[in-house]
Amino acid sequence: MHIKQGDTVEVITGEDNGVRAKVLRVDGHAGKLVVEGVNKVWKHVRRSQKNPQGGRLSMEMPVWISNVLLVCESCNRATRTGARYLDDGTKERYCKKCGAGMGPVGPAKTRKAKK
Ligand SMILES: [Zn+2]
């Protein structure tokens, strides 16, 4: 996953096209992420012990990672990212438009070979 929790992304398709917002959660296995205020749905909740009122709950549903682009902080555009290795061995994301680094990708990614 090239997008992490806390990143700012731009939605490039669907109802929320063009919206820029923060990534709240990332599900690496499903390839999905939850973006603040994007893909909101009303969840209807039946009255229960936990929720005595019942009613409607607004919540964000996950979107496919391919439906968003990372926003580059340097050039302020939604961009595709590349990955490159720095001289000291750390892997870094970078903006394909302006080439600015966007921080290391998963610091603990020294995990080898598996998959
Ligand atoms: Zn850039």
Side-chain angles (χ1 to χ4, degrees):
M1 295 287 274
H2 60 281
I3 294 179
K4 297 184 292 187
Q5 196 175 332
D7 282 341
T8 301
V9 294
E10 185 169 314
V11 182
I12 51 168
T13 180
E15 218 175 299
D16 295 303
N17 197 353
V19 172
R20 281 188 187 189
K22 221 165 97 185
V23 176
L24 299 178
R25 284 199 306 279
V26 173
D27 184 342
H29 289 287
K32 288 183 154 190
L33 31 90
V34 176
V35 185
E36 198 169 28
V38 168
N39 204 15
K40 281 213 152 186
V41 295
W42 288 105
K43 190 182 179 193
H44 298 262
V45 190
R46 190 177 281 273
R47 267 193 284 276
S48 67
Q49 301 243 312
K50 207 177 134 201
N51 202 331
Q53 279 292 304
R56 303 194 305 167
L57 225 101
S58 179
M59 57 186 289
E60 287 104 347
M61 294 301 283
V63 295
W64 288 109
I65 191 167
S66 60
N67 291 346
V68 302
L69 282 177
L70 194 59
V71 173
C72 170
E73 283 169 11
S74 318
C75 61
N76 196 31
R77 283 186 292 184
T79 178
R80 286 163 62 197
T81 56
R84 64 188 171 197
Y85 289 94
L86 302 180
D87 291 341
D88 64 357
T90 52
K91 194 178 181 184
E92 175 191 68
R93 297 184 296 185
Y94 69 96
C95 168
K96 285 216 170 165
K97 284 183 177 152
C98 70
M102 297 166 107
V105 198
K109 279 267 160 73
T110 36
R111 200 177 60 188
K112 298 189 195 106
K114 212 165 184 204
K115 185 191 161 194

PDB file of all heavy atoms in Angstrom, residues 72 74-75 95 97-100, ligand 1:
ATOM      1  N   CYS A  72       0.244  15.473  -3.273  1.00  0.00           N
ATOM      2  CA  CYS A  72       1.635  15.825  -3.005  1.00  0.00           C
ATOM      3  C   CYS A  72       1.697  17.148  -2.257  1.00  0.00           C
ATOM      4  O   CYS A  72       1.077  18.126  -2.661  1.00  0.00           O
ATOM      5  CB  CYS A  72       2.389  15.934  -4.319  1.00  0.00           C
ATOM      6  SG  CYS A  72       4.025  16.630  -4.145  1.00  0.00           S
ATOM      7  N   SER A  74       4.300  19.050  -1.869  1.00  0.00           N
ATOM      8  CA  SER A  74       5.181  20.029  -2.508  1.00  0.00           C
ATOM      9  C   SER A  74       4.498  20.743  -3.659  1.00  0.00           C
ATOM     10  O   SER A  74       4.541  21.958  -3.766  1.00  0.00           O
ATOM     11  CB  SER A  74       6.444  19.349  -3.032  1.00  0.00           C
ATOM     12  OG  SER A  74       6.921  18.415  -2.120  1.00  0.00           O
ATOM     13  N   CYS A  75       3.854  19.975  -4.534  1.00  0.00           N
ATOM     14  CA  CYS A  75       3.269  20.631  -5.699  1.00  0.00           C
ATOM     15  C   CYS A  75       1.762  20.751  -5.573  1.00  0.00           C
ATOM     16  O   CYS A  75       1.110  21.286  -6.455  1.00  0.00           O
ATOM     17  CB  CYS A  75       3.683  19.916  -6.985  1.00  0.00           C
ATOM     18  SG  CYS A  75       3.149  18.206  -7.102  1.00  0.00           S
ATOM     19  N   CYS A  95       6.732  11.751  -5.433  1.00  0.00           N
ATOM     20  CA  CYS A  95       5.721  12.283  -6.328  1.00  0.00           C
ATOM     21  C   CYS A  95       6.190  12.120  -7.754  1.00  0.00           C
ATOM     22  O   CYS A  95       7.292  12.522  -8.108  1.00  0.00           O
ATOM     23  CB  CYS A  95       5.520  13.761  -5.988  1.00  0.00           C
ATOM     24  SG  CYS A  95       4.556  14.657  -7.196  1.00  0.00           S
ATOM     25  N   LYS A  97       5.072  13.600 -10.238  1.00  0.00           N
ATOM     26  CA  LYS A  97       4.977  14.842 -10.994  1.00  0.00           C
ATOM     27  C   LYS A  97       6.143  15.768 -10.728  1.00  0.00           C
ATOM     28  O   LYS A  97       6.722  16.333 -11.641  1.00  0.00           O
ATOM     29  CB  LYS A  97       3.657  15.525 -10.697  1.00  0.00           C
ATOM     30  CG  LYS A  97       2.514  14.822 -11.427  1.00  0.00           C
ATOM     31  CD  LYS A  97       1.185  15.495 -11.231  1.00  0.00           C
ATOM     32  CE  LYS A  97       0.128  14.768 -12.066  1.00  0.00           C
ATOM     33  NZ  LYS A  97      -1.212  14.889 -11.495  1.00  0.00           N
ATOM     34  N   CYS A  98       6.465  15.961  -9.445  1.00  0.00           N
ATOM     35  CA  CYS A  98       7.551  16.905  -9.166  1.00  0.00           C
ATOM     36  C   CYS A  98       8.777  16.211  -8.589  1.00  0.00           C
ATOM     37  O   CYS A  98       9.819  16.823  -8.440  1.00  0.00           O
ATOM     38  CB  CYS A  98       7.075  18.016  -8.235  1.00  0.00           C
ATOM     39  SG  CYS A  98       6.756  17.464  -6.556  1.00  0.00           S
ATOM     40  N   GLY A  99       8.654  14.941  -8.279  1.00  0.00           N
ATOM     41  CA  GLY A  99       9.826  14.216  -7.815  1.00  0.00           C
ATOM     42  C   GLY A  99      10.158  14.387  -6.351  1.00  0.00           C
ATOM     43  O   GLY A  99      11.145  13.846  -5.860  1.00  0.00           O
ATOM     44  N   ALA A 100       9.331  15.151  -5.634  1.00  0.00           N
ATOM     45  CA  ALA A 100       9.606  15.355  -4.215  1.00  0.00           C
ATOM     46  C   ALA A 100       9.366  14.077  -3.426  1.00  0.00           C
ATOM     47  O   ALA A 100       8.446  13.325  -3.714  1.00  0.00           O
ATOM     48  CB  ALA A 100       8.709  16.472  -3.678  1.00  0.00           C
TER      49      ALA A 100
HETATM   50 ZN    ZN B   1       4.663  16.796  -6.257  1.00  0.00          ZN
END
